[in-house]
Amino acid sequence: MLITLEGLDGSGKTTVWEALHDVYPDATFTREPTDSWYGEAVGRSMGDPDADPLAELFLYTADHANHLSETVRPALADGGLVIADRYSDSRFAYQGATLARSDAGIERPLEYVRGIHAAFSRPPDATIYLDLDPKTAAERAGRTDKFERDGYLAAVRDNYERLIDADPGRFHRVDATRAPEDVVARVEDIVAGLVDR
Ligand SMILES: Nc1ncnc2c1ncn2[C@@H]1O[C@H](COP(=O)(O)OP(=O)(O)OP(=O)(O)O)[C@@H](O)[C@H]1O
Ligand SMILES: Cc1cn([C@H]2C[C@H](O)[C@@H](COP(=O)(O)O)O2)c(=O)[nH]c1=O
C-alpha cells in the first residue's frame, strides 16, 4: 500500500512522517524530492529564482520517475507499506501554480502536469492532506525559498482543493493548525484504519 503525505510547506508532513517510523518500523519511508542526483538537480533549480518553470517541472518529474523505479515499485512489489513525504500531488499543486504564473503558455497547467504523469506514474492508494492556511504555513516554513511565500502558497492550496474535489475518496484531510501531538495522533488513527482494511 502506498500512503502519501501532502500539504503546504510547514504543514507538518515531516513531523508526522518521522513519528510514523516508530509505529511502522518495517515500512519503507521515502520522500520527494529524493536524495538521488535527480533530487540534487531539483535542489539546484529550487535555489534559482530564475529557473525555467517547465525545466523545473521536468526535473521534479525525472526525480519522481527514478523514485518510482528505484524505491516505490520494488517495495510495493514485495507487499510492503510505503509512506512518502510528498509525491505526485506536490507536482500537480506546486508546478500547476508555478506554470499558471509563468509565460510558458500552458493552458490548464494542473491538468497538463497530471497528464504527464498518467502514462507512467503509480497513484497513491491514500493521501493524508495536512490542511493549513498559507500565512501560517509560510511562517512555520520560515519563508526560506521561492515556494514559501503566502501568495504563491494560496495558489498551491487552491490546487490541492481541486485535487481533493476530483478524488475525495483518496484524500484524508487533517487540521494541521492543531498541536503537533494531536496532528500526529489523528494521522496515526487514519493510517491504522487504512492498513487494517
Ligand atoms: N502542528 C504543528 N503546530 C505547530 N508547529 C508545527 C506543527 N507541526 C510542525 N510544526 C513545526 O513547523 C515547522 C515545519 O514542520 P515540518 O518540517 O514537519 O513541516 P513540513 O510540512 O515537512 O515542511 P516542508 O514542506 O517545508 O519540509 C517545524 O518547525 C515544526 O516543528
Ligand atoms: C516534491 C515536490 C516538491 N515541491 C516543493 C515543495 C517544497 O517547497 C519543496 C521541497 O519540499 P520539502 O517538503 O520542503 O522538502 O519543493 C514542488 O514544488 N514540487 C514537487 O513535486
Side-chain angles (χ1 to χ4, degrees), residues 3 23 47 65 69-70 95 127 156 180 192:
I3 299 176
V23 189
S69 62
E70 290 292 315
Q95 276 60 60
T127 298
V156 173

Side-chain angles (χ1 to χ4, degrees), residues 73 114-122:
R73 287 194 193 279
R114 287 187 75 167
I116 289 169
H117 286 67
F120 76 95
S121 190
R122 197 290 193 185

Side-chain angles (χ1 to χ4, degrees), residues 8-15 85-86 140-141 148 176 178-180 183:
L8 300 184
D9 299 79
S11 57
K13 298 175 303 302
T14 306
T15 301
D85 178 353
R86 293 198 184 279
R140 278 198 206 163
E148 293 168 352
R178 306 286 300 272
V183 174

Side-chain angles (χ1 to χ4, degrees), residues 41-105:
V42 166
R44 287 186 62 180
S45 187
M46 282 168 55
D48 177 0
D50 299 320
D52 180 87
L54 265 179
E56 189 164 85
L57 163 66
F58 289 117
L59 288 175
Y60 275 113
T61 307
D63 187 43
H64 179 63
N66 183 66
H67 185 211
L68 273 169
S69 62
E70 290 292 315
T71 306
V72 176
R73 287 194 193 279
L76 293 175
D78 283 348
L81 171 64
V82 179
I83 301 181
D85 178 353
R86 293 198 184 279
Y87 192 72
S88 48
D89 290 306
S90 284
R91 222 119 41 248
F92 308 156
Y94 280 77
Q95 276 60 60
T98 303
L99 287 172
R101 297 174 150 222
S102 78
D103 57 5

